[in-house]
Amino acid sequence: MNTTVFVTFWLIVLARITDVTLDTIRTVSIVQGRRIFATTLGFFEAVVYICAVAKVLLNMDHPVYALAYGLGYASGTFLGITIEQHLAFGQQVASLFTRKGFELAKALGAAGYRLVEVKAHTRDGDLTILHVQIARRNAHQLVRDASALDDSCFCIVNDVRMAGFMSPGKALISRTLAKASPQRGM
């Protein structure tokens, strides 16, 4: 293998790592509704992808380039997932099922967590379900905090696309006020 083939091999690997990493993060961004961020990532991903695939297809006399393409793809998948988990964009709702609802709600509230307490009845008796809104990057800490207070606490964590207070009439009121207000510049 000469120097040119060796360098090209690693450039293809690097290009595929880059474009697949961007693709992985872009896919999560799409699911979370981050349109501008996903669009920007998509642009750079496509440019890098075209360069890598063109180099492989135009040089089929070097089958080692196809190996570089596959190695970069696999590495990019791993790196993309790792980076996305580290960034941990978004909100989650953790549902904590506990028999120590009052104590757990009081402690989590005092620690700054936003939560809703729901009383529930099961065949094994009463329990409390605490729904806690949490930044995704803090979900593991919440589970540790809840487990420290109640070792029998059961937790389910779900991703949230939208979180916050919503007022059904707010959009209608905003449109009505916009129509009623005097036009500027007339």
Side-chain angles (χ1 to χ4, degrees):
M1 183 183 307
N2 65 32
T3 305
T4 304
V5 172
F6 180 80
V7 169
T8 304
F9 175 92
W10 288 108
L11 287 175
I12 292 169
V13 169
L14 182 61
R16 288 301 289 161
I17 287 172
T18 302
D19 98 81
V20 175
T21 298
L22 292 174
D23 180 52
T24 304
I25 297 169
R26 181 186 62 84
T27 301
V28 173
S29 298
I30 289 170
V31 170
Q32 293 178 348
R34 298 172 183 273
R35 291 182 289 201
I36 301 299
F37 187 63
T39 302
T40 304
L41 290 178
F43 171 79
F44 291 108
E45 171 201 342
V47 170
V48 173
Y49 170 78
I50 291 298
C51 293
V53 77
K55 193 65 172 172
V56 172
L57 293 177
L58 293 174
N59 294 289
M60 289 303 289
D61 53 321
H62 297 290
V64 72
Y65 291 170
L67 180 65
Y69 189 89
L71 178 62
Y73 188 90
S75 301
T77 301
F78 180 84
L79 183 61
I81 292 169
T82 302
I83 290 172
E84 192 283 323
Q85 287 176 342
H86 180 72
L87 293 174
F89 291 134
Q91 294 287 313
Q92 293 186 312
V93 170
S95 298
L96 307 171
F97 299 80
T98 179
R99 299 216 182 275
K100 298 179 180 178
F102 178 77
E103 297 89 358
L104 191 55
K106 186 176 177 182
L108 292 176
Y113 290 105
R114 292 180 57 178
L115 57 92
V116 173
E117 186 175 343
V118 179
K119 299 296 181 187
H121 305 284
T122 69
R123 65 180 176 179
D124 299 326
D126 293 343
L127 62 88
T128 302
I129 304 170
L130 300 174
H131 297 289
V132 184
Q133 177 186 341
I134 188 87
R136 188 170 152 228
R137 69 180 56 85
N138 299 330
H140 289 291
Q141 184 61 47
L142 170 66
V143 172
R144 283 191 294 273
D145 290 346
S147 296
L149 296 166
D150 180 4
D151 59 354
S152 65
C153 180
F154 180 74
C155 184
I156 298 173
V157 180
N158 293 301
D159 287 335
V160 175
R161 184 164 179 159
M162 184 185 313
F165 295 102
M166 297 170 52
S167 174
K170 187 174 184 180
L172 178 61
I173 292 169
S174 297
R175 284 193 303 262
T176 305
L177 290 175
K179 288 179 185 176
S181 66
Q183 297 287 330
R184 293 182 189 225
M186 289 183 85

